[in-house]
């Protein structure tokens, strides 16, 4: 569904490539058999090679599809998954893979423009070298995909205040049942305290789920969330790639050494009716994040604000695109501020569109 939804939104933003692998016999989309195990030995499939693999009679379900940086595992028929990566300076292509049972659709999208999988990267004056890559959208026009351009800096100074900026983008799938989740604190940064982490992960969930804001907007009616306690189970994400794993039934918030300047990473799984069925989150365990911002502060990012952003993805929010630095769902986070803990107008409107309010 992200691909459908994204196609709708990406057409206006940055869609760089859609690969549709129509499997002649539905065999390719069926769960792996011994022959597919042989195929599996050959490891991840690069997006553009997907067709060749199908022709060799290999099943795609359970195989890892990658664009060289971000990877996802092809889910069983009737499901979709999306993940995201980070390029240097904050731009990150995303991959969305939908297995319709007869068709495997692989969508790669330019992330900075607010679609595909989701990440959160720091916004620092040092990251702003403007490199643009010209790519061809499905509509054939060439579009420049920018990393965090120098202009973002200036945009901030003149940027629209949080309660005046009504921009939002949706992933076009959402939860209709309660979201049950665990927290794994085993790989958290050394400076963090377990209780503080759990308190802030729960607070961040409520920030997004209930639409905490300073814009005078009412509380949202998003389905409930239940914290089920701590777990030793790792989030269903291999941080190396990062790579989204096979869908499972547990939702875990955890920590890991994310690549590049990623602060957070979320994978989500959805069914053919656009309903979320799973979501896992990894927060970087380097030194960039703090549960309490130091004073004076430099090059340090707010942990609870970062997790509030990632919960946004878990609930169906996409990125705003560049130029919305005061909104929680922009793909880059400002350092030394807790602003992302409260939703801006656009963030609230997006959640309200999916879940309504009192
Ligand atoms: Zn994000």
């Amino acid at each position: 569904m992200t691909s459908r939804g994204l196609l709708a939104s990406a057409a206006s933003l940055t869609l760089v490539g859609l690969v549709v692998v129509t499997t002649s016999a539905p065999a390719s989309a069926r769960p792996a058999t011994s022959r597919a195990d042989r195929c599996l030995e050959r490891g991840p499939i690069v997006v553009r090679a997907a067709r060749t693999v199908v022709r060799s009679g290999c099943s795609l379900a359970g195989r890892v599809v990658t664009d060289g940086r971000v990877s996802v595992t092809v889910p069983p028929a009737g499901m979709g998954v999306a993940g995201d990566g980070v390029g240097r300076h904050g731009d990150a292509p995303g991959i969305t893979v939908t297995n319709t049972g007869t068709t495997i659709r692989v969508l790669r999208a330019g992330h900075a423009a607010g679609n595909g999988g989701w990440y959160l990267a720091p916004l620092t004056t040092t990251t702003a070298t403007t490199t643009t890559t010209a790519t061809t959208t499905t509509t054939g026009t060439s579009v420049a995909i920018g990393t965090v351009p120098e202009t973002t800096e200036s945009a901030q100074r003149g940027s629209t205040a949080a309660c005046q900026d009504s921009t939002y983008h949706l992933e076009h799938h959402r939860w209709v049942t309660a979201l049950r989740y665990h927290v794994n604190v085993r790989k958290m940064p050394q400076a963090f305290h377990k209780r503080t982490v759990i308190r802030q992960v729960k607070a961040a969930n409520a920030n997004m789920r209930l639409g905490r804001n300073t814009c005078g907007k009412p509380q949202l009616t998003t389905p409930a969330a239940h914290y089920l306690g701590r777990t030793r189970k790792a989030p269903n994400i291999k941080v190396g790639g990062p790579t989204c794993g096979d869908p499972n039934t547990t939702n875990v918030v955890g920590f890991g050494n994310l690549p590049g300047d990623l602060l957070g990473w979320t994978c989500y799984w959805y069914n053919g009716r656009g309903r979320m069925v799973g979501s896992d989150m990894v927060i970087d365990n380097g030194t960039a994040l703090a549960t309490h911002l130091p004073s004076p502060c430099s090059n340090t990012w707010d942990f609870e604000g970062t997790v509030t952003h990632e919960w946004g993805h878990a609930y169906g929010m996409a990125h705003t695109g560049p130029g919305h630095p005061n909104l929680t769902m922009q793909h880059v986070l400002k350092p030394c501020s807790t602003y992302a803990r409260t939703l801006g107008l656009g963030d609230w409107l997006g959640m309200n569109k999916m879940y309504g309010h009192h």
Side-chain angles (χ1 to χ4, degrees), residues 131-275:
T131 50
T132 57
T133 50
T135 57
T136 309
T137 70
T138 53
T139 52
T141 52
S142 80
V143 172
I145 295 184
T147 59
V148 187
E150 204 63 61
T151 51
T152 307
E153 220 24 54
S154 55
Q156 265 183 23
R157 269 188 292 283
S159 61
T160 314
C163 291
Q164 268 72 53
D165 190 342
S166 60
T167 301
Y168 67 87
H169 294 293
L170 303 180
E171 293 160 352
H172 298 287
H173 34 241
R174 62 192 185 94
W175 289 89
V176 294
T177 54
L179 195 168
R180 292 174 165 75
Y181 68 95
H182 290 86
V183 176
N184 182 329
V185 295
R186 299 182 70 200
K187 293 184 179 169
M188 70 180 187
Q190 282 191 335
F192 284 20
H193 298 281
K194 294 186 182 85
R195 284 220 195 111
T196 309
V197 163
I198 289 162
R199 191 180 70 245
Q200 291 197 353
V201 168
K202 289 161 81 174
N205 176 276
N207 294 342
M208 186 54 68
R209 187 168 53 81
L210 303 176
R212 180 182 168 195
N213 70 90
T214 57
C215 311
K217 290 294 182 186
Q219 190 172 304
L220 299 169
T221 47
T222 313
H226 300 297
Y227 168 61
L228 302 179
R230 279 174 35 202
T231 181
R232 287 168 166 269
K233 205 169 190 301
N236 186 15
I237 301 171
K238 289 198 196 84
V239 290
T243 303
C244 304
D246 278 314
N248 63 31
T249 54
T250 51
N251 306 318
V252 177
V253 176
F255 293 87
N257 177 13
L258 289 169
D261 55 15
L262 262 178
L263 289 172
W265 169 270
T266 299
C267 292
Y268 51 88
W269 294 263
Y270 50 92
N271 67 20
R273 287 176 294 148
R275 297 191 173 166

Side-chain angles (χ1 to χ4, degrees), residues 48-357:
R48 59 182 173 279
R51 280 195 188 87
T52 329
V53 173
V54 170
R55 273 198 220 105
S56 65
C58 286
S59 165
L60 276 182
R63 299 286 304 268
V64 171
V65 170
T66 180
D67 79 335
R69 286 183 291 184
V70 59
S71 312
V72 295
T73 306
V74 177
M79 285 192 68
V81 58
D84 181 26
V86 66
R88 297 183 71 186
H89 309 307
D91 181 36
I95 287 185
T96 301
V97 171
T98 305
N99 181 348
T100 66
T102 54
T103 305
I104 304 279
R105 293 194 307 178
V106 184
L107 169 74
R108 287 186 303 154
H111 201 312
N115 53 37
W118 319 110
Y119 71 97
L120 196 61
L123 178 69
T124 64
T125 50
T126 55
T127 63
T129 50
T130 308
T131 50
T132 57
T133 50
T135 57
T136 309
T137 70
T138 53
T139 52
T141 52
S142 80
V143 172
I145 295 184
T147 59
V148 187
E150 204 63 61
T151 51
T152 307
E153 220 24 54
S154 55
Q156 265 183 23
R157 269 188 292 283
S159 61
T160 314
C163 291
Q164 268 72 53
D165 190 342
S166 60
T167 301
Y168 67 87
H169 294 293
L170 303 180
E171 293 160 352
H172 298 287
H173 34 241
R174 62 192 185 94
W175 289 89
V176 294
T177 54
L179 195 168
R180 292 174 165 75
Y181 68 95
H182 290 86
V183 176
N184 182 329
V185 295
R186 299 182 70 200
K187 293 184 179 169
M188 70 180 187
Q190 282 191 335
F192 284 20
H193 298 281
K194 294 186 182 85
R195 284 220 195 111
T196 309
V197 163
I198 289 162
R199 191 180 70 245
Q200 291 197 353
V201 168
K202 289 161 81 174
N205 176 276
N207 294 342
M208 186 54 68
R209 187 168 53 81
L210 303 176
R212 180 182 168 195
N213 70 90
T214 57
C215 311
K217 290 294 182 186
Q219 190 172 304
L220 299 169
T221 47
T222 313
H226 300 297
Y227 168 61
L228 302 179
R230 279 174 35 202
T231 181
R232 287 168 166 269
K233 205 169 190 301
N236 186 15
I237 301 171
K238 289 198 196 84
V239 290
T243 303
C244 304
D246 278 314
N248 63 31
T249 54
T250 51
N251 306 318
V252 177
V253 176
F255 293 87
N257 177 13
L258 289 169
D261 55 15
L262 262 178
L263 289 172
W265 169 270
T266 299
C267 292
Y268 51 88
W269 294 263
Y270 50 92
N271 67 20
R273 287 176 294 148
R275 297 191 173 166
M276 288 277 202
V277 293
S279 175
D280 286 70
M281 196 188 292
V282 169
I283 305 297
D284 188 60
N285 59 7
T287 54
L289 288 163
T291 53
H292 298 85
L293 292 172
S295 175
C297 177
S298 75
N299 271 340
T300 305
W301 284 265
D302 176 41
F303 171 72
E304 185 181 322
T306 300
V307 181
T308 301
H309 174 105
E310 294 304 328
W311 277 124
H313 294 316
Y315 278 110
M317 294 288 287
H319 282 148
T320 58
H324 303 281
N326 297 312
L327 294 183
T328 298
M329 291 315 294
Q330 180 176 262
H331 64 290
V332 288
L333 190 73
K334 291 186 281 190
C336 301
S337 168
T338 59
Y339 77 102
R341 297 181 186 190
T342 49
L343 275 53
L345 178 59
D347 307 311
W348 187 90
L349 288 171
M351 286 291 286
N352 180 57
K353 177 96 176 167
M354 292 184 282
Y355 300 111
H357 64 269

